[in-house]
């Protein structure tokens, strides 16, 4: 026997985690990534002297940070209608981002939303109070609804109008940022980056301090900057920050939060669930509070830091929004929380065998277990850098050199570039 044939080549398969996300899915198939189609023209108006609309063009400029403002005094009215040149398909939900600095406890009763088609009212008028849990204090949030008739049957529409009506002896104002609907992306996109951040509080200001500071810092990709969430006086109130994605996760993907307890000291795994709350959403559907089971939770210090903690937790349902909040009646609720980053981390691709033994010169096939529909799998011989040596669900290397060989596989999900 040739001496080389007596030696075994050990092939160790290691999984390289690439930050890529399943871009939407349902129970039967993977879906495409989604892109926003913004309303692009507007009409507006107000009652003489008692109502006003300012910066109306900001609501249709496609910029997520600019806004129009509706304001009324006493019994005045102000309205803005946002029109779509690319008409949404019937039944397509419309998203409206709005904000306020004085709270919705009174504002909501004076805000209505109405769909239009060719300048004519269609469907049932909706009150904001029926679409959103009431908030107080400063906030930026989003309403999602399907224009429908009184029987709940979707109607065709090409515009939505927001009307603010003043209440007796109370002046009101409302910021309107945009209206959009979602359609399938034509080209692949970066899926793992949040589109923007929403925030709010169910109570007013505490001691003159804003309940949320610098919300954009939670999604800027920089762990040296942070947002600040302050809890409220009422035991049941909460202050929250919420990140939005254009794509849905796959069950098993994780939430990752980099945070600090400004009161000093590190939080251990047993205290997390009673100190602050993490929720996920699929659009406006609340998936519920994460239980933060210690057996599934990963909790560590950020490399190079002595007080920044990194929490990673798998979520077994689809989500495209992550919310972190303080308050809400928790037993050991923090009075404030510094949030440095909120991220969504994909689960690594599974392999049928993580280690394969084969004789020198013989074949061994490495194979992804339960691959995602339309996902792309690249095989490498280095953990970082380098070029892929093969693309496909299974890979049969050329074992003509004895010894131990390591291979790495990455997963790029459909519709994604990352």
């Amino acid at each position: 026997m040739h001496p080389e044939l007596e030696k075994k080549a050990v092939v160790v398969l290691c999984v390289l985690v690439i930050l890529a996300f399943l871009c939407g899915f349902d129970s039967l198939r993977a879906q495409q990534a989604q892109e926003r189609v913004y309303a692009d023209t507007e009409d507006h108006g107000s009652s003489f002297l008692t109502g006003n609309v300012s910066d109306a063009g900001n609501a249709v400029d496609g910029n997520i940070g600019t806004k129009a403002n509706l304001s009324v005094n006493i019994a005045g009215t102000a309205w803005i209608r946002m029109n779509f040149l690319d008409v949404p398909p019937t039944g397509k939900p419309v998203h409206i981002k709005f904000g306020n600095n004085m709270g919705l406890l009174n504002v909501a009763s004076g805000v209505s939303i109405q769909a239009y088609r060719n300048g004519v009212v269609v469907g049932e008028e909706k009150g904001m109070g029926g679409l959103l849990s009431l908030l107080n204090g400063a906030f930026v949030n989003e309403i999602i609804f399907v224009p429908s008739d009184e029987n709940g049957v979707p109607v065709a529409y090409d515009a939505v109008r927001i009307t603010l009506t003043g209440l007796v002896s109370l002046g009101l104002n409302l910021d309107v940022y945009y209206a959009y609907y979602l359609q399938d992306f034509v080209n692949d996109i970066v899926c793992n980056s949040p589109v923007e951040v929403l925030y709010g509080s169910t109570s007013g200001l505490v001691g003159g301090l804003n309940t949320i500071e610098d919300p954009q810092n939670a999604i800027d990709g920089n762990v040296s900057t942070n947002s600040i969430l302050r809890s409220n006086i009422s035991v049941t109130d909460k202050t929250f920050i919420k990140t939005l994605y254009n794509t849905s996760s796959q069950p098993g993907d994780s939430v990752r939060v980099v945070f600090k307890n400004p009161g000093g000291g590190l939080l251990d795994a047993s205290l997390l669930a009673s100190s602050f709350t993490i929720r996920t959403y699929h659009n406006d559907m609340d998936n519920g509070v994460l239980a933060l089971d210690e057996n599934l939770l990963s909790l560590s210090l950020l490399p190079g830091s002595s007080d920044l903690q990194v929490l990673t937790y798998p979520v077994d349902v689809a989500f495209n929004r992550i919310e972190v909040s303080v308050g809400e009646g928790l037993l050991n609720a923090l009075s404030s929380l510094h949030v440095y980053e909120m991220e969504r981390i994909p689960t690594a691709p599974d392999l049928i065998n993580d280690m394969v033994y084969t004789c020198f010169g013989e074949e061994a096939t490495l194979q992804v277990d339960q691959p995602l529909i339309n996902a792309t799998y690249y095989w490498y011989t280095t953990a970082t850098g380098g070029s892929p040596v093969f693309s496909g669900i299974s890979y049969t290397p050329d074992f003509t050199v004895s010894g131990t060989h390591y291979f790495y596989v990455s997963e790029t999900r459909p519709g994604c570039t990352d």
Side-chain angles (χ1 to χ4, degrees), residues 134-175:
L134 300 186
L135 302 175
N136 204 7
F139 70 88
V140 175
N141 216 322
E142 187 182 76
I143 281 177
I144 306 173
F145 79 105
V146 178
S148 308
D149 63 19
E150 63 275 8
N151 297 315
V153 178
V155 297
Y157 71 99
D158 60 11
V160 287
R161 171 172 155 163
I162 312 297
T163 301
L164 178 64
T165 302
L167 304 176
V168 176
S169 74
L170 184 65
L172 303 175
N173 74 85
L174 187 73
D175 295 327

